[in-house]
DNA sequence: ACCGAAAAAGTTTTT
DNA sequence: CTTTTTCGGT
């Protein structure tokens, strides 16, 4: 791309439309459905359309007006999106630079680019407006920065910079930064910005909730600081563009005119700000196509507004809604399980997935009970080995957990088994300490006014420049209104500093000056190496004898290697703030371990789903904090998990789990009871199972290990779903008394029609006394050493000292 | 200014 | 039980 902002791109489109467009003609405006257009499309019977089913084809060919494509899991969503773009290009309806295609992640936009390239023959450079919400906003903002009070060279703060900045503001305000943490405020800020609320717009209640009513003031101050630093945080990228569009009608018109067709991926994940952004653009042009699945909305907790997709028809008048329900991924059992489960949710647009993929020998969805997380890992490890020995590739297997702490147990087990695995997710490459440090050095060289970067590395490695010195520098900087580095160099010339810090500071500044001079003279990768070397940074890690140190050095090498792809240091820094995920394109065969959240969009032949227990999944916190909505989001997460499986879905629940160091008994997840019995098998009981089911709580049909007993299937929720499902035929299952009466007796978490009312841990004082001899199903006999509420510390005769919950032991 | 010990907290994640 | 962050002593 010759033009860096891709905006004033000339008409040298790399795509040659299949249509009859004259070479020098301006963009054709053709009435959709016009005879010529249809003839044009028909003439070639383009091969890109031939493999589509009727709904997919409709979604591709309905180019005019608002379109909502409800694409269930595995129904070819990405295919529709990319084919639609290819179709618009091929029929000459728009040029590549006139299509806006928005995704959430860089990964998604990269994939889309690749797939469009497949259609159009390699060159997708013309698709200047295919990218994430944020990258597109940056592109717009760089062009019009002055109109919203920024300079075009503004820098983008990442989460870490943001937190440190907030911390400074909180301290400057004289607040206790322990009582009012920067992290907490960052969370509130995020919430506000997700809803497109500026300092003046935030609700009074929320403004008061933080720091004795200083919330609004802090927000204002934070924005002020950002503008002084000529910086924007991630939320600002969107908000500034919204402001720009609202205050500059001519600019808005320009973009409305430019974007003839707009596409949004994963629409169920959009927040309010993103919605408003889209609405502004769509005002001038109704050709908006949003693709999403309300049943896969799992990011409500970070601001995603399911309402956006639920209200689409209302918001975009005359919208065509197309449902993609034919699933190309999973067996009928897996689909039945997922569909039955998700039917328990109320607020949904409703889709029913179906498939032709039906063979008598398909595995049922399996549910297995295990004693504890250790046995869970052992069982899954064994099953993986069995599958592997039958010739299944490890790449086609995944363990999907609810929370990351569950991963360790599997890693441990797989290590002892010598099973190859990879963990997906976790800290991103660019979030690692060493990468951020190195980046801060580069930023200081390339952007001398980058205070946050300077602060980060001024004393890394240790140079004897602590708080005291830094405070002085800060004081000068604030008084003179100059960047920290400039302030530091002034300070050196005075006598205010003691000789030791003074020399240290001087040597740091001298270094930066030297590096800056070398910036234009040598290759940026070479300079980067020199910087890390001469600053003593690499040496610092070489001295470090901790286990991670070698890995960190490797990461630094990797960082330098990745810089090679960029033209210059500045070019590298420009891109890095928005795009830098490590491409772990690992060729080795390995089982994947990841959270359910990071599994969205992926698929595997076999999916292992451990930890289906109340409190963990659905997670207690989701229930406590968001009630019904929280439960429904958890259920969607379960739906996402099951639908990742192509051939085999295997679910597990443990009767006992160690949470925060103490053993707790657990109840099988209500989601297990929401699965359709005909498509589920209860897996064989494990040998080590002691016959102690459910930890003394109410029964679940999964307490039974008799493979012939599929349980009663009569929980209230199950009946409700049955009624919903069969309401057309008037059929209703009348059973269920047995379970209900048992449920009323149980002492565990109290639920009323799926809504949790009591907390998980009982607050009644323990009925045990010190020194008492007790029996525990796992650890055997022991004596009570101490009691804290319902937590007992017990010295077991065989197992040693353990902490357990009192409901776990009985008097003896 | 730096290091070690104690205390606190401990879903989910992208840009 | 772990990991991370903070506090206090040297």
């Amino acid at each position: 791309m010759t033009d860096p902002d891709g905006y004033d791109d000339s008409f040298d489109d790399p795509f040659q439309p299949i249509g009859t467009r004259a070479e020098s003609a301006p963009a054709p405006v053709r009435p959709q459905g016009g005879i010529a257009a249809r003839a044009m499309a028909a003439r070639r019977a383009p091969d890109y359309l031939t493999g589509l089913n009727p709904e997919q084809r409709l979604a591709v060919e309905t180019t005019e007006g608002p379109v909502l494509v409800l694409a269930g899991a595995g129904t070819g969503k990405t295919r529709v999106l990319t084919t639609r773009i290819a179709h618009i290009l091929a029929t000459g309806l728009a040029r590549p630079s006139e299509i806006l295609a928005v995704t959430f992640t860089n990964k998604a936009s990269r994939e889309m680019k690749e797939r469009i390239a497949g259609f159009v023959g390699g060159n997708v450079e013309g698709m200047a407006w295919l990218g994430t919400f944020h990258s597109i906003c940056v592109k717009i903002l760089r062009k019009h920065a002055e109109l919203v009070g920024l300079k075009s060279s503004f820098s983008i703060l990442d989460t870490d910079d943001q937190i440190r900045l907030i911390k400074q503001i909180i301290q400057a305000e004289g607040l206790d930064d322990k009582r009012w943490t920067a992290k907490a405020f960052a969370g509130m800020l995020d919430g506000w910005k997700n809803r497109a609320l500026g300092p003046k717009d935030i609700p009074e209640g929320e403004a008061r909730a933080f720091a004795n009513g200083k919330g609004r003031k802090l927000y204002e101050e934070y924005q002020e600081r950002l503008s002084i630093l000529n910086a924007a945080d991630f939320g600002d990228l969107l908000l500034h563009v919204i402001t720009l569009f609202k205050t500059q009608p001519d600019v808005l018109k320009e973009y409305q005119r430019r974007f003839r067709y707009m596409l949004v991926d994963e629409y169920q994940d959009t927040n309010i700000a993103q919605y408003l952004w889209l609405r502004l653009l769509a005002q001038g042009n109704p050709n908006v196509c949003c693709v999403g699945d309300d049943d896969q909305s799992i990011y409500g907790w970070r601001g995603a507004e399911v309402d956006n997709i639920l209200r689409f028809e209302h918001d975009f008048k005359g919208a065509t809604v197309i449902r993609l329900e034919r699933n190309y991924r999973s067996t009928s059992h897996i689909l039945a399980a997922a569909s039955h489960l998700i039917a328990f949710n109320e607020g949904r647009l409703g889709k029913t997935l179906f498939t032709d993929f039906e063979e008598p020998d398909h595995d049922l969805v399996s549910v297995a009970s295990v004693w504890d997380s250790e046995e869970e890992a052992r069982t899954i490890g064994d099953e993986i080995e069995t599958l592997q020995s039958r010739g299944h590739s490890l790449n086609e297997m995944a363990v999907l957990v609810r929370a990351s702490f569950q991963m360790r147990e599997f890693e441990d087990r797989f290590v002892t088994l010598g099973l190859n695995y990879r963990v997906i997710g976790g800290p991103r490459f660019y979030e690692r300490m060493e990468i951020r440090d190195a980046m801060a050095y580069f930023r200081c060289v390339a952007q001398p006014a980058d205070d946050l970067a300077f602060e980060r590395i001024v004393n890394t490695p240790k140079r004897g420049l602590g708080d005291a010195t830094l405070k002085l520098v800060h004081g000068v900087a604030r008084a003179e209104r100059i960047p920290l580095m400039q302030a530091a160099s002034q300070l050196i010339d005075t006598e205010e500093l003691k000789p030791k810090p003074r020399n240290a500071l001087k040597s740091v500044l001298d270094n930066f000056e030297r590096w800056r001079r070398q910036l234009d003279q040598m290759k940026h990768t070479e300079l980067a190496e020199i910087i890390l070397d001469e600053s003593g940074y690499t040496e610092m890690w070489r001295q470090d004898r901790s286990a991670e140190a070698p890995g960190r050095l490797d990461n630094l090498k990797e960082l330098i290697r990745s810089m090679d792809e960029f033209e210059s240091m500045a070019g590298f820094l420009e891109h890095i703030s928005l795009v830098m995920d490590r491409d772990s394109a690992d060729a080795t065969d390995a089982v994947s371990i990841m959270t359910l959240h990071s599994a969205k969009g992926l698929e595997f032949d076999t999916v292992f789903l451990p930890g289906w227990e109340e409190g963990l999944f659905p997670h207690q916190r989701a229930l406590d904090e968001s009630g019904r909505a929280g439960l429904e989001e958890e259920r969607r997460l379960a739906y996402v998990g099951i639908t990742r499986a192509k051939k085999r879905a295997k679910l597990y629940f443990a009767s006992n789990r160690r949470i925060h160091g103490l053993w707790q008994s657990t109840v099988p997840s209500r989601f297990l009871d929401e699965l359709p019995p005909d498509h589920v098998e209860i897996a064989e009981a494990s040998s080590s199972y002691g016959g102690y089911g459910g930890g003394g709580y109410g029964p679940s049909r999964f307490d039974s290990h008799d493979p012939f007993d599929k349980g009663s299937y009569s929980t209230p929720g199950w009946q409700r779903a049955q009624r919903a499902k069969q309401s057309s035929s008037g059929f209703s299952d009348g059973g269920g008394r047995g379970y209900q009466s048992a449920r009323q007796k149980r002492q565990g978490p109290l639920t009323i029609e799926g809504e949790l009312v009591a907390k998980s841990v009982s607050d009644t004082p323990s009925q045990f006394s010190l020194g008492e001899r007790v029996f525990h199903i796992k650890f055997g006999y022991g004596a009570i050493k101490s009691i804290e509420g319902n937590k007992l510390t017990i010295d077991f005769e065989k197992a040693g000292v353990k902490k357990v919950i009192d409901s776990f032991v009985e008097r003896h």
Side-chain angles (χ1 to χ4, degrees), chain A residues 423-500:
Chain A
V423 173
I424 316 266
R428 301 257 159 296
F429 183 73
Y430 64 86
E431 278 171 359
R432 292 168 190 222
M433 193 206 307
E434 64 276 16
I435 300 301
R436 298 190 44 81
D437 286 341
M439 296 289 304
Y441 270 103
F442 305 154
R443 278 159 67 188
C444 284
V445 173
Q447 307 159 8
D450 196 330
D451 286 359
L452 289 160
F454 181 70
E455 265 174 72
R456 184 181 180 96
I457 46 79
V458 66
N459 199 31
T460 312
K462 301 279 186 289
R463 304 188 170 93
L465 295 166
D467 282 349
T469 315
L470 217 55
K471 223 170 201 156
L472 282 171
V473 179
H474 255 127
V476 174
R478 210 163 308 157
E480 310 263 334
R481 295 178 183 280
I482 52 173
L484 286 178
M485 254 195 273
Q486 209 179 321
S489 88
Q490 281 186 22
L491 205 58
I492 289 171
D493 298 331
T494 69
E495 295 300 315
E496 278 178 73
L497 288 171
K498 295 204 175 78
K500 230 161 72 185

Side-chain angles (χ1 to χ4, degrees), chain A residues 178-208:
Chain A
K178 295 201 64 183
R179 173 78 185 81
W180 309 104
T181 63
K183 243 192 181 154
F185 190 70
M188 299 195 78
L189 260 182
D190 212 43
W192 292 328
K193 292 192 173 183
N194 283 337
R195 285 178 284 157
L197 301 175
K200 293 192 185 70
D201 312 318
I202 59 176
E204 195 60 32
E206 286 179 54
R208 287 192 183 288

